[in-house]
Amino acid sequence: MIRKISIACLAGTAILMAACGGSENSDDKVVVTATKDSLVQYATERLAGYAKVKLTTDLSQLSEKEKQMLPLLIEASQIMDELYWQQNFYANKDSFISSIKDPNVKAFAEINYGPWDKLNNEKPFVSGWSEKYAGAGFYPTGLTKEELEKSDVKDKFGQYSLIRRDSTGKLYSVPYHVAYRPQLEKAAGLLTQAAALAEDAGLKKYLTLRAKALLDDNYTASDIAWLDMKSNGIDIIIGPIENYEDGLYESRNAYEAYVLVKDKVWSERLSKYVKMLPELQKGLPVEDKYKAEAPGTDSELNAYDVVYYAGHCNSGSKTIAVNLPNDETIQKNKGTRRSQLKNAMKAKYDQILAPIAETLIDESQIGLVNFDAFFANVMFHEVAHGLGIKTTIDGKGTVRAALQEQGSWLEEAKADILGLYMVTKLVEKGELTGKKEAFYTTFMAGILRSVRFGASKAHGKANMLAFNYFEEKGAFEKNASGKYKVNFSKFEEAMNGLSNLIITLQGNGSKVAVENLQKEKAVIKPSLQKDLDGLASKGIPVDVVFEQGVKVLGL
């Protein structure tokens, strides 16, 4: 194993030296790659790519008790933030942050929850730190898949446990609710206090059950209670939810939280689309055996203003829509809730997507790019997680289990393309206003926005699959001035072809075939990278960073 390391690591402080020794392999070779000054410059330039956005909402729509609940929910979320630091970063956060003298490097480390740039393939940018271990803080640093799979650990691929090594080197697992007990007890207490203030019966039940779930890692009852909520004005998504941070298996979930205020007007407009899922499922452009499952219709589609992000969802690129729960059984039997984070979405459109479209979309089509189309594309991406196939057709179990670490990126690709399929069908049925051409052009601009995050994570791989597949099928071309122009008829044909390919791969549960697809098409080619570099030179932000909390809300 070759481990890259900076000059400063060779003479750094004790904490940095400990971090440099993260690999347990004795044959590591040190390769000097960067100076401290070059890393400071890199972090400073990358920090400038984040536009500051205040997270606020109209609090006048809330009752006095709802306003009293918000600080409690924000404090509970801050605990999730601290837990995510431990899961993403395998050293002491406070020592690490205090060791950084340059304010720009420190600010960039806080955005990334560690010394690795999440929007640039986890590139290290703090002197003394080598490349990130794929297992993050979930496993002993340097643990290989082979060693774990040969071990007698029972909970090898658990969603809610850590793998650790005892003094003799033997591997064992520790449940989250044991490993993080003090913090989780405090967070559960805050949720219980908020539940006592809740005037909505559904919200009260959910908060009570979620507090319990944090302490026993059994989230099913609280997930169902969350789906059963209908009339709540505020909400919180909290706990170990997404598995993208686990680079070994994508099995272990990372802590995060969103504190939300419902936009009841927008939510009312969106509610009708979920009921259309069974009909849309039947029309999928794939063989009948791959669309035999009936999607749940008890799902909710709501719009929210986010007033606080914490943990995984706040690291690097900020999430603008959520489709939960992730449990396939709950999805199949009951459905999901698709939460559209409207204020964050609008911020990204205004700060990032619109300027990118002005720069890279053909002048004759620039007028087709608009926020309503962006909102719909993102919204139906989340709805589309409910379409397709959840269980393989040949007895390999769930798609998630069969594809393992290859499952998440392909599922995101499926949601991208089936979301576009849904938009197409709903426009054709007159259920969605707007022109297909506007949705397609805005989708194209959205890909150009998203691929700036790189192709190391699930969403980046998904975006690159769509981009490269569409390019191969002639769905777009570049004009003489280097701008992208959509061929609308070929775009729709490519949409159907990619939908068929992805659902078939999922249904077959062939991990090898998905790996090959990733290697071939989920990559950024030099010509596209040149265009993306040009966006940076024009000062267009890569993402946003939030000013948030009780004071920002004026509470």
Side-chain angles (χ1 to χ4, degrees):
M1 175 181 176
I2 295 178
R3 183 162 49 90
K4 295 180 181 178
I5 202 165
S6 72
I7 294 174
C9 187
L10 303 178
T13 63
I15 181 64
L16 293 180
M17 286 299 290
C20 294
S23 173
E24 297 175 6
N25 297 328
S26 59
D27 60 343
D28 279 4
K29 298 177 181 179
V30 172
V31 179
V32 176
T33 61
T35 66
K36 181 177 179 181
D37 288 344
S38 69
L39 292 174
V40 169
Q41 181 180 355
Y42 172 85
T44 301
E45 291 174 351
R46 294 289 288 171
L47 179 64
Y50 283 79
K52 289 186 178 181
V53 174
K54 284 189 176 182
L55 283 183
T56 59
T57 191
D58 178 11
L59 296 180
S60 66
Q61 61 188 305
L62 301 181
S63 70
E64 287 305 311
K65 286 193 174 180
E66 285 175 328
K67 292 176 185 177
Q68 292 172 35
M69 291 172 68
L70 286 178
L72 296 171
L73 300 181
I74 289 172
E75 188 176 353
S77 299
Q78 290 167 340
I79 294 172
M80 300 301 107
D81 209 64
E82 292 301 315
L83 294 179
Y84 175 69
W85 261 102
Q86 295 181 44
Q87 293 180 318
N88 180 67
F89 181 61
Y90 32 90
N92 182 276
K93 171 200 169 185
D94 293 336
S95 297
F96 165 69
I97 291 295
S98 64
S99 72
I100 302 173
K101 305 307 178 186
D102 186 90
N104 290 330
V105 178
K106 183 175 294 188
F108 197 53
E110 289 171 343
I111 288 173
N112 288 280
Y113 290 73
W116 306 287
D117 186 350
K118 290 187 173 296
L119 302 192
N120 190 15
N121 301 313
E122 301 282 9
K123 174 185 172 69
F125 60 86
V126 178
S127 59
W129 289 89
S130 59
E131 66 267 21
K132 184 180 180 182
Y133 168 55
F138 300 108
Y139 307 89
T141 308
L143 177 72
T144 64
K145 286 185 177 182
E146 181 181 20
E147 183 182 2
L148 181 60
E149 289 167 4
K150 287 182 177 180
S151 75
D152 59 1
V153 176
K154 293 181 180 179
D155 192 25
K156 292 176 183 173
F157 313 118
Q159 295 182 70
Y160 310 118
S161 68
L162 304 171
I163 299 297
R164 292 294 180 254
R165 199 187 296 276
D166 67 17
S167 59
T168 68
K170 183 178 175 61
L171 297 175
Y172 65 99
S173 67
V174 187
Y176 285 178
H177 70 271
V178 174
Y180 306 125
R181 191 73 185 185
Q183 298 98 318
L184 293 173
E185 284 183 343
K186 184 176 180 181
L190 291 162
L191 294 186
T192 301
Q193 290 179 55
L197 291 168
E199 298 161 301
D200 181 84
L203 179 59
K204 183 184 291 288
K205 180 179 180 180
Y206 164 63
L207 291 173
T208 302
L209 290 174
R210 202 64 173 183
K212 180 178 182 299
L214 289 175
L215 298 178
D216 64 15
D217 291 323
N218 185 352
Y219 289 90
T220 301
S222 62
D223 281 343
I224 292 172
W226 184 68
L227 290 175
D228 285 339
M229 289 193 306
K230 306 296 182 186
S231 56
N232 54 302
I234 62 175
D235 196 356
I236 183 171
I237 298 170
I238 186 168
I241 296 169
E242 301 291 0
N243 59 7
Y244 305 120
E245 209 61 61
D246 177 359
L248 282 189
Y249 290 102
E250 291 192 357
S251 61
R252 293 184 150 78
N253 292 350
Y255 283 97
E256 63 183 352
Y258 309 78
V259 181
L260 309 168
V261 175
K262 184 183 287 186
D263 185 323
K264 294 183 179 179
V265 175
W266 266 94
S267 296
E268 182 72 21
R269 296 179 194 170
L270 303 178
S271 61
K272 66 178 181 180
Y273 296 120
V274 173
K275 297 179 177 61
M276 300 178 182
L277 282 176
E279 180 184 355
L280 291 165
Q281 173 85 354
K282 291 177 183 178
L284 290 173
V286 69
E287 291 182 53
D288 288 345
K289 62 182 178 180
Y290 294 101
K291 56 182 178 181
E293 297 176 2
T297 58
D298 193 31
S299 301
E300 285 223 13
L301 188 58
N302 297 122
Y304 299 87
D305 279 343
V306 196
V307 296
Y308 203 83
Y309 280 74
H312 178 264
C313 62
N314 193 46
S315 64
S317 177
K318 309 303 184 290
T319 305
I320 54 177
V322 184
N323 176 57
L324 294 170
N326 285 326
D327 186 298
E328 289 98 336
T329 302
I330 296 177
Q331 287 184 4
K332 186 175 179 180
N333 296 333
K334 195 168 182 64
T336 61
R337 171 173 285 130
R338 286 88 176 187
S339 305
Q340 312 305 305
L341 313 183
K342 189 165 63 69
N343 57 341
M345 202 180 297
K346 187 65 165 63
K348 287 204 180 188
Y349 178 84
D350 291 341
Q351 298 277 355
I352 305 169
L353 190 140
I356 286 176
E358 290 285 347
T359 304
L360 289 180
I361 297 297
D362 184 88
E363 289 85 350
S364 67
Q365 296 182 344
I366 190 65
L368 294 169
V369 179
N370 61 74
F371 175 71
D372 286 347
F374 178 59
F375 183 87
N377 286 340
V378 175
M379 172 179 68
F380 286 110
H381 166 102
E382 299 305 330
V383 178
H385 279 297
L387 291 176
I389 189 166
K390 303 295 181 185
T391 305
T392 57
I393 63 173
D394 57 0
K396 294 179 182 176
T398 66
V399 172
R400 181 172 180 169
L403 298 184
Q404 293 185 321
E405 74 275 10
Q406 292 296 326
S408 292
W409 83 269
L410 194 66
E411 174 62 24
E412 292 304 326
K414 181 206 80 173
D416 280 344
I417 204 66
L418 291 192
L420 197 61
Y421 156 83
M422 290 185 69
V423 164
T424 300
K425 295 305 176 185
L426 291 172
V427 169
E428 291 174 352
K429 292 174 181 293
E431 297 287 351
L432 185 65
T433 58
K435 297 179 179 180
K436 286 193 290 186
E437 292 83 359
F439 292 105
Y440 293 171
T441 309
T442 304
F443 183 88
M444 186 70 212
I447 289 179
L448 295 171
R449 177 189 72 86
S450 299
V451 296
R452 297 178 78 196
F453 307 152
S456 64
K457 297 294 185 180
H459 292 85
K461 292 172 184 175
N463 285 311
M464 285 318 307
L465 171 62
F467 182 92
N468 289 324
Y469 186 94
F470 277 45
E471 183 177 42
E472 181 182 290
K473 299 299 181 182
F476 63 84
E477 59 186 19
K478 293 181 76 172
N479 65 20
S481 60
K483 295 191 175 185
Y484 293 84
K485 185 175 183 180
V486 177
N487 181 315
F488 298 117
S489 60
K490 290 184 178 180
F491 200 90
E492 188 164 343
E493 290 174 8
M495 173 192 75
N496 289 326
L498 186 54
S499 297
N500 182 290
L501 173 63
I502 291 173
I503 298 171
T504 301
L505 285 170
Q506 288 184 318
N508 292 341
S510 175
K511 183 180 174 183
V512 172
V514 178
E515 285 176 335
N516 291 335
L517 182 68
Q518 179 196 321
K519 292 174 183 176
E520 180 186 352
K521 288 193 167 64
V523 295
I524 299 177
K525 296 178 181 178
S527 59
L528 174 59
Q529 188 60 59
K530 183 179 179 181
D531 291 334
L532 301 179
D533 292 342
L535 295 176
S537 68
K538 290 182 178 295
I540 298 174
V542 174
D543 211 88
V544 295
V545 60
F546 297 124
E547 297 177 11
Q548 58 178 357
V550 174
K551 290 184 178 179
V552 173
L553 289 171
L555 290 172

